[in-house]
Amino acid sequence: MAHESPLIGILVFGLGLAFVFGTIANRLKLSPLVGYLLAGVVIGPFTPGFVADSALTLELADIGVILLMFGVGLHFSPKDLMAVRRIAIPGAVLQVAVAASLGALVAAWLGWPLASGMVFGLALSIASTVVMMRTLQERRLMDTDRGRIAVGWLVVQDLLTVLALVLLPPLAGVLKGGALDVSALAISLALTFGKLALFAVLMFAIGRRVIPWILHYIAHTGSRELFRLAVLSIALGVAFAAATLFGVSIALGAFFAGMILSESPLSQRAAEESLPLRDAFAVLFFVSVGMVFDPLTVVHEPLALLATLAVVLLGSAGGAFVIVRLFGYPLGTALMLGAGLAQIGEFSFILADLGIGLKLMPERARDLILGTSILTIFLNPFLWNIVERLRKRAEPQPGPKNTTPELIPTTLTGHAVLVGYGRVGKLIADGIRKDGLPLLVIEDAADAAEALRAAGIECLQGNAASDPVLAAANIPAARILFVAIPAAFEAGQIVEQARRAQPGLEIVARAHFDAEVDHLRKLGANAVIMGEREIASAMLVYARQAASAG
């Protein structure tokens, strides 16, 4: 059956094993990404048992890349991109140059020619967008200054990769010792920049109006199914058009589509609708990376693999750390960006395949790049944990763009704690203030936190499921806790921790389904309000009153 239906086989074995190994990794206090990678190794061609179709897996993984970058774009406006250009553009260019130079030195040590070293080094200098974005989202860093710098940095790396993919074919002959065809090079450059410029103009001039208009029209139909389909069609369609018509990578195309839509009031709903598929296909990306790794590479070429690994850790991670510090940014930003760039992924594979196809690199280079990729992705969660400890121990240092507030414990007692300042949270906050009850809001979005402080409302910026944030809210002395976020899983963690901190605390949460109501009640919520049920009750009350009056 698996051989007759390779797609079903990939979904069953790939997602199934990713679930099993991801759960085990989570149980061992490791990142689930480690489990996803191991699942890929198990269904890959280098281990016995079921072998998934690697080409089909990579195509499914591309869908994950598209949806992930579309989601990133939804939370990243053009203003954010322009705000970090002074560090993202020169920083990314310098970091790529440093890592590529170290990669060329390793290639020379291995006895490869200069052309091989240049392509090899470039492939080792480009970080995986998927890995970085997943990590930023898991750690709630997307809406911070550090997260915006990281996204801007990745966008610049993406543009450099597109440029390299265009320049390598006409320059291949020169790199191998042939003559330079200036006219061919000039034509390639003109076409590349022309396509990029045309794509950007179309997106900002036409897409800025057409994409939000389409979603607004579909939203007014009242069909959630059509709205979800419209979001997926726009994300996939723009990414596909960017790659096939304009020569832009699918990741960059999807990012631009999301960024254009970010200015629409429907951006939050679009992000919610694409989330389930985005997570599922992103898992397949990590499974696909694990599939191409031959564990015997560690045994056959340990020194070469260690040297290649050092290029990524010292050249990309170390180089980014030094560059960010030289630009005057705080230690926390430098550590975060260094940890985020200490891995390679999808773009490295593309560059490696092109280099080998043009006879610029030996086949051996692909094994080293793939081996380094899976090792760096495997080590990345551990590196983030180390960096987080270092950041907490270090004294806060001033620097430009350092607007993330320090977590200062509240002095309030007998107060109400509100988690989430979205549409529901704002209404709750207004009611609490009218009742004269002291209010503390926990909100992880930087812009919402700034708006709260501007309105004179005490706010803790961070993830309420984090022990330090919840401790700073002085839960033992609070009167009531409102958990107004829509994510039941995260809300459950908050309820459970708050109940442990104060067994007698009144806790009110929200839910969308009966199963979520039961889940939150079991974890300690006194009351769980399901929006749909309350709407139905209010409508029935109105109908009965109208009938009585008639």
Side-chain angles (χ1 to χ4, degrees):
M1 176 64 182
H3 294 289
E4 295 175 0
S5 304
L7 176 59
I8 296 177
I10 290 170
L11 294 177
V12 171
F13 287 95
L15 293 179
L17 288 174
F19 164 70
V20 172
F21 287 120
T23 302
I24 294 173
N26 186 67
R27 184 72 176 174
L28 297 174
K29 305 298 183 183
L30 301 176
S31 170
L33 299 185
V34 175
Y36 305 157
L37 291 169
L38 291 177
V41 174
V42 170
I43 65 172
F46 305 104
T47 54
F50 171 78
V51 177
D53 187 322
S54 58
L56 186 55
T57 306
L58 287 172
E59 289 189 24
L60 292 173
D62 283 341
I63 299 177
V65 174
I66 292 171
L67 296 177
L68 183 72
M69 290 306 296
F70 179 72
V72 172
L74 285 172
H75 295 92
F76 199 90
S77 69
K79 293 180 180 178
D80 294 331
L81 189 59
M82 295 305 294
V84 299
R85 68 186 185 280
R86 293 180 180 176
I87 176 64
I89 296 175
V93 172
L94 287 172
Q95 172 260 312
V96 169
V98 170
S101 299
L102 288 178
L105 290 176
V106 170
W109 171 66
L110 293 172
W112 299 350
L114 179 60
S116 298
M118 292 174 62
V119 181
F120 184 67
L122 187 61
L124 296 178
S125 66
I126 305 298
S128 168
T129 302
V130 178
V131 175
M132 175 76 98
M133 292 299 101
R134 281 296 296 267
T135 305
L136 291 177
Q137 289 174 344
E138 288 175 359
R139 295 176 179 268
R140 301 282 180 174
L141 292 171
M142 286 298 303
D143 293 321
T144 65
D145 289 334
R146 290 177 289 167
R148 295 185 185 99
I149 291 173
V151 174
W153 199 291
L154 289 172
V155 169
V156 175
Q157 279 196 350
D158 198 355
L159 291 172
L160 291 174
T161 305
V162 172
L163 186 61
L165 293 173
V166 173
L167 289 178
L168 279 177
L171 288 176
V174 180
L175 294 174
K176 289 186 289 188
L180 174 63
D181 189 341
V182 178
S183 60
L185 181 60
I187 292 172
S188 295
L189 285 174
L191 286 174
T192 300
F193 287 113
K195 287 180 179 179
L196 282 172
L198 181 59
F199 175 71
V201 168
L202 288 174
M203 288 302 296
F204 282 101
I206 300 177
R208 204 172 198 171
R209 295 177 176 85
V210 174
I211 292 176
W213 178 84
I214 292 173
L215 288 184
H216 277 277
Y217 175 79
I218 297 300
H220 286 130
T221 66
S223 172
R224 186 173 184 178
E225 179 181 344
L226 283 177
F227 186 84
R228 183 182 292 121
L229 186 60
V231 171
L232 295 176
S233 298
I234 289 171
L236 296 173
V238 172
F240 182 77
T244 56
L245 302 178
F246 301 98
V248 179
S249 70
I250 57 172
L252 190 60
F255 173 79
F256 265 93
M259 190 169 63
I260 293 301
L261 187 57
S262 66
E263 300 177 4
S264 168
L266 292 171
S267 61
Q268 182 61 36
R269 185 179 171 189
E272 293 173 357
E273 295 297 337
S274 62
L275 182 61
L277 278 177
R278 185 178 72 197
D279 287 344
F281 281 103
V283 168
L284 286 175
F285 165 79
F286 294 101
V287 172
S288 70
V289 173
M291 286 179 59
V292 296
F293 177 60
D294 182 1
L296 292 179
T297 303
V298 179
V299 178
H300 294 157
E301 297 192 89
L303 293 179
L305 191 59
L306 285 175
T308 309
L309 182 64
V311 171
V312 179
L313 297 180
L314 297 179
S316 289
F321 174 84
V322 173
I323 292 166
V324 173
R325 292 295 287 151
L326 289 176
F327 272 79
Y329 283 77
L331 181 62
T333 300
L335 286 170
M336 183 277 295
L337 200 58
L341 295 174
Q343 41 76 27
I344 57 174
E346 61 275 13
F347 295 122
S348 302
F349 308 154
I350 295 171
L351 285 169
D353 288 340
L354 180 62
I356 293 171
L358 294 172
K359 307 298 183 183
L360 293 174
M361 283 199 312
E363 291 279 349
R364 179 187 177 193
R366 181 191 281 119
D367 295 332
L368 293 176
I369 291 172
L370 293 176
T372 300
S373 173
I374 194 169
L375 288 176
T376 53
I377 294 176
F378 187 90
L379 293 172
N380 204 245
F382 301 100
L383 185 59
W384 271 93
N385 291 335
I386 294 172
V387 161
E388 187 62 21
R389 293 194 186 98
L390 292 174
R391 186 189 66 79
K392 289 179 178 178
R393 291 179 183 177
E395 291 291 332
Q397 301 182 30
K401 305 290 183 184
N402 187 24
T403 60
T404 302
E406 183 182 355
L407 193 64
I408 302 174
T410 184
T411 58
L412 294 176
T413 57
H415 58 296
V417 178
L418 170 62
V419 178
Y421 195 67
R423 290 176 298 174
V424 175
K426 289 177 182 178
L427 296 174
I428 295 173
D430 291 341
I432 293 173
R433 297 182 77 190
K434 286 180 182 178
D435 293 340
L437 191 66
L439 172 64
L440 171 71
V441 179
I442 302 177
E443 173 58 52
D444 61 355
D447 52 352
E450 291 174 6
L452 283 163
R453 296 190 187 96
I457 301 175
E458 187 171 348
C459 175
L460 292 175
Q461 184 180 333
N463 184 359
S466 169
D467 289 332
V469 175
L470 212 56
N474 196 14
I475 292 296
R479 180 181 299 182
I480 188 169
L481 169 66
F482 294 93
V483 184
I485 58 175
F489 180 78
E490 187 176 338
Q493 293 179 297
I494 298 168
V495 169
E496 187 176 25
Q497 293 177 50
R499 179 57 66 210
R500 284 200 303 264
Q502 191 198 137
L505 179 66
E506 286 291 326
I507 302 177
V508 184
R510 62 180 287 199
H512 288 296
F513 307 102
D514 290 327
E516 294 178 352
V517 173
D518 295 337
H519 172 69
L520 293 170
R521 282 189 177 277
K522 287 178 182 177
L523 292 176
N526 298 93
V528 182
I529 310 301
M530 192 168 77
E532 291 80 0
R533 185 178 294 162
E534 295 304 313
I535 292 171
S537 298
M539 294 174 73
L540 286 171
V541 168
Y542 176 81
R544 288 163 184 160
Q545 290 175 346
S548 300

